[in-house]
Structures are given as C-alpha cells and as structure tokens.
C-alpha cells in the first residue's frame, strides 16, 4: 500500500514542511520544504536525526527563496558544522556574496557555497523543471527567469510591508472588503511554486509567491494548497476563488504577525466550508466573538501532522 503524509512544523515566523511517502519501490522518502528561522535550526537537526534513526534520510531539501525565515534553520546547521543526512538540495542562487546586495541574497548564496563545500548536490528549480522520485512527480511552476533576474541583479533594498492587524473586523465585514494591497517583495516573487502529484493526490506548495504568479501557473483542482506568505491577504487576490479549486489549506506561521483574518474570510466566501491546517493555535484568537454559524464552516486542525492520502 502506498501512502503520503504532510507535516507542518512550527518554525517561528517561517516555513518548514515535511512530505513523507512510500514510493512504488516500497522505500520511504522525505522531502523537506524550507527550514524556518535560525532558531529553528536545532529542531531541524532533530527531525533529520530522527529520520536517520529510522534508516531514512532527507531525500530532497527544498529552499523556496532567499528569505531568512525559509533558509535560516539549514544555514544554522551548516555554519555549525552539523552533519545532516541530505541527499540533495533544490534551490536558486546568484553567486552574489558581497556587501552591495540584500543580506537575504548574501545568506542564500552563503548557503549554496556551504552546501557545495559539504559535497551536497544542488539543483536549480525554475519554471518547467520536472523531477520524478520513486513514483512521485514534482513540477516546478515558478519562478521564471525574469523573477530570478529581478532578484539577483538588484542592489536596492526591498520594500518593507507595514503590518496592521485586521482582527478587529468580523468575518462578514472582511468577506466584502476589497483586498487593498499586494505583496511588493522581489524576494517573495522569486519563490518556488511546486506541484506534487502522487497516488492520485495533487498538492500545491507556494513559498511566499505573489498571487498573480500563483494564479498564472496553477491548475484547477488541488487536494491541499499551502497558502503563500504565512496566510497574508496580500498574497491572494479577488480572482483566487475562480481559479483555485480547493477546500484544504495549510498555513505556516507561529501566529504572531500572520495570518490575516481577511484571508480566512475570503476563503469562507469563495468555498463555503474549509479546512485549515496550522502548527500554532492562532485560530482561537481570530475566531473570538465570531458567531458559531460562521465558525462552524471552518475546521481548524492544529498540530505538526497535517494530511494523509493512501492507496491500495
């Protein structure tokens, strides 16, 4: 019997997702997408050691983009000289380790250099790449060359997003309130958008990608979608509900700055009933004082273990 499971770790303000599946050969494989913030590094190493103790490894470590809350945990371990059972890493890099580019870009390329120094294979992940691993198909839908060139050739600071909580509004108010702003970060726009298909299940992982790029490359019908940028409303758009057909969503965040309440409100408006998977208990705060006839349409699942599909 084949199986696939998805785990969402509480990696601070960042992402760390593990996909474990039993391939057609009967062997188990682990794909880890992102590694959280630097302080998550020790937990990342614990996960890797647990896999090693079971006779498994990290077959692929995916780094979705250059921000510290996605590559920090892995970089921490490489800087500390910790051995991790990683076969290969999928990431994009620009070889710009100098003072004139963004700190995030310098850290990204430090990560690339340290992986090379440990003889860990690195593959690029750009639009059109397709990888197969023991029956699972990984399709890279984004970034394209333009998004990468805009990031790695830039010597300007990124635009900082001001944050103001929308928790003071009700779900019903936020459903009809237009999405006012979109994410301007070039770092986020260069995020890997990856589609995984196995056992007849199809999942979409989006890093911190822009909504317009997700909608441009995504297909119709997913069993699970990881929402971009920790559930920020700036990374969805009013056209989302017409394009993306899915009722199961994963949000990676510790709940301190994200997710936006309007994101959940829009999902409710578009789909009626939704299931949200999170590693932190932000739902209690968000749903406080909301009427039960609204909240009953949201099934919130808290914990590391997220989602599973099986096939005989």
């Amino acid at each position: 019997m084949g199986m696939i499971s998805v785990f969402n770790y509480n990696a601070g303000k960042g992402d760390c997702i593990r996909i474990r599946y039993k391939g057609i050969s009967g062997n188990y494989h682990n794909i880890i997408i992102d590694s959280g913030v630097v302080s998550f590094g020790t937990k990342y190493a614990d996960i890797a050691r647990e896999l090693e103790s079971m006779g498994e490894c990290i077959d692929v470590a995916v780094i979705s983009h250059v921000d510290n809350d996605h590559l920090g945990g892995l970089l921490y371990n490489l800087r500390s000289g910790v051995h991790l059972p990683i076969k290969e890493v999928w990431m994009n890099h620009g070889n710009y380790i100098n003072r004139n580019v963004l700190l995030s870009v310098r850290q990204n390329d430090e990560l690339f250099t340290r992986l090379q120094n440990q003889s860990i294979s690195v593959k690029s992940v750009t639009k059109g790449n397709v990888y197969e691993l023991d029956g699972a198909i990984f399709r890279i839908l984004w970034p394209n060359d333009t998004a990468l060139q805009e990031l790695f050739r830039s010597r300007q600071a990124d635009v900082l997003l001001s944050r103001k909580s929308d928790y003071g509004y009700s779900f019903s108010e936020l459903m009809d309130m237009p999405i006012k702003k979109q994410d301007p970060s070039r770092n986020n726009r260069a995020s890997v958008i990856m589609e995984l298909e196995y056992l007849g299940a199809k999942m979409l992982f989006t890093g911190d990608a822009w909504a317009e790029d997700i909608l441009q490359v995504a297909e119709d019908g997913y069993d699970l979608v990881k929402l971009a940028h920790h559930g920020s409303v700036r990374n969805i758009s009013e056209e989302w509900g017409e394009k993306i057909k899915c009722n199961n969503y994963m949000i990676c965040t510790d709940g301190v700055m994200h997710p936006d309440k309007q994101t959940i409100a829009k999902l409710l408006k578009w789909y009626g009933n939704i299931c949200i998977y999170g590693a932190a208990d932000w739902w209690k705060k968000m749903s406080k004082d909301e009427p039960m006839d609204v909240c009953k349409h949201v099934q919130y699942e808290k914990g590391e273990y997220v989602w599973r599909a099986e096939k005989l």
Side-chain angles (χ1 to χ4, degrees):
M1 181 174 69
M3 58 81 66
I4 184 166
S5 301
V6 184
F7 300 81
N8 177 10
Y9 299 102
N10 189 345
K13 293 178 174 59
D15 290 16
C16 186
I17 304 160
R18 178 165 66 96
I19 303 160
R20 181 176 185 260
Y21 66 94
K22 186 176 183 180
I24 57 177
S25 68
N27 297 321
Y28 284 93
H29 301 280
N30 294 276
I31 314 297
I32 297 187
I33 304 173
D34 291 322
S35 63
V37 297
V38 168
S39 60
F40 185 72
T42 53
K43 173 65 174 177
Y44 190 88
D46 289 342
I47 295 167
R49 291 191 189 101
E50 182 180 355
L51 296 178
E52 202 168 28
S53 71
M54 297 189 300
E56 300 177 22
C57 67
I58 301 174
D59 294 87
V60 180
V62 181
I63 299 299
S64 67
H65 65 293
V66 302
D67 283 341
N68 185 60
D69 58 335
H70 293 257
L71 60 79
L74 179 54
L75 183 57
Y76 167 84
N77 283 287
L78 293 172
R79 284 174 172 172
S80 304
V82 176
H83 167 75
L84 297 172
I86 299 175
K87 284 189 176 181
E88 64 183 37
V89 174
W90 298 352
M91 65 177 291
N92 293 310
H93 55 89
N95 293 323
Y96 285 107
I97 306 177
N98 62 64
R99 295 181 180 179
N100 296 320
V101 296
L102 298 171
L103 174 62
S104 56
V105 174
R106 295 204 305 272
Q107 289 179 328
N108 182 73
D109 287 296
E110 178 191 349
L111 175 64
F112 172 69
T113 301
R114 289 183 180 276
L115 289 168
Q116 285 193 315
N117 291 341
Q118 289 198 15
S119 300
I120 297 176
S121 174
V122 178
K123 291 181 179 178
S124 64
V125 271
T126 56
K127 184 176 181 179
N129 293 150
V130 179
Y131 298 117
E132 188 274 340
L133 179 59
D134 205 2
I137 306 298
F138 302 85
R139 300 183 185 92
I140 309 303
L141 308 181
W142 192 266
N144 63 10
D145 290 339
T146 300
L148 290 173
Q149 289 168 6
E150 286 177 353
L151 171 62
F152 288 120
R153 291 180 182 176
S154 172
R155 291 173 179 243
Q156 300 178 2
D158 244 329
V159 178
L160 295 177
L161 298 179
S162 60
R163 295 292 305 167
K164 183 178 180 181
S165 174
D166 59 0
Y167 282 28
Y169 294 97
S170 69
F171 280 127
S172 59
E173 289 173 317
L174 291 168
M175 284 180 189
D176 295 326
M177 192 179 295
I179 297 173
K180 297 177 181 178
K181 296 181 180 180
Q182 292 296 305
D183 186 349
S185 168
R186 287 186 299 271
N187 288 14
N188 290 346
R189 194 187 186 195
S191 288
V192 172
I193 302 174
M194 182 175 73
E195 195 176 83
L196 167 58
E197 191 165 2
Y198 188 58
L199 299 175
K202 191 161 67 171
M203 292 158 276
L204 186 69
F205 300 93
T206 59
D208 285 356
W210 287 7
E212 64 189 77
D213 298 323
I214 297 171
L215 296 184
Q216 178 188 149
V217 300
E219 296 182 356
D220 183 11
Y222 290 100
D223 296 284
L224 179 69
V225 171
K226 183 266 177 186
L227 285 174
H229 202 192
H230 323 295
S232 171
V233 73
R234 301 185 185 205
N235 295 77
I236 61 174
S237 70
E238 297 291 353
E239 297 75 30
W240 184 281
E242 298 175 3
K243 175 68 176 180
I244 304 293
K245 303 302 180 186
C246 184
N247 294 87
N248 300 307
Y249 289 89
M250 178 169 59
I251 296 178
C252 300
T253 181
D254 58 4
V256 175
M257 295 179 65
H258 293 106
D260 288 313
K261 188 173 181 178
Q262 190 177 17
T263 299
I264 310 303
K266 291 295 184 179
L267 294 178
L268 276 169
K269 179 180 180 179
W270 296 328
Y271 305 114
N273 293 284
I274 55 173
C275 183
I276 303 290
Y277 298 95
D281 198 6
W282 46 263
W283 172 246
K284 285 183 180 178
K285 180 181 177 182
M286 181 182 289
S287 60
K288 183 181 179 182
D289 301 324
E290 288 287 341
M292 282 300 299
D293 62 339
V294 174
C295 292
K296 70 180 182 181
H297 295 287
V298 180
Q299 179 183 349
Y300 183 71
E301 298 286 346
K302 174 185 172 293
E304 290 184 350
Y305 178 77
V306 176
W307 191 83
R308 184 173 191 172
E310 295 184 354
K311 183 178 180 181
L312 292 174

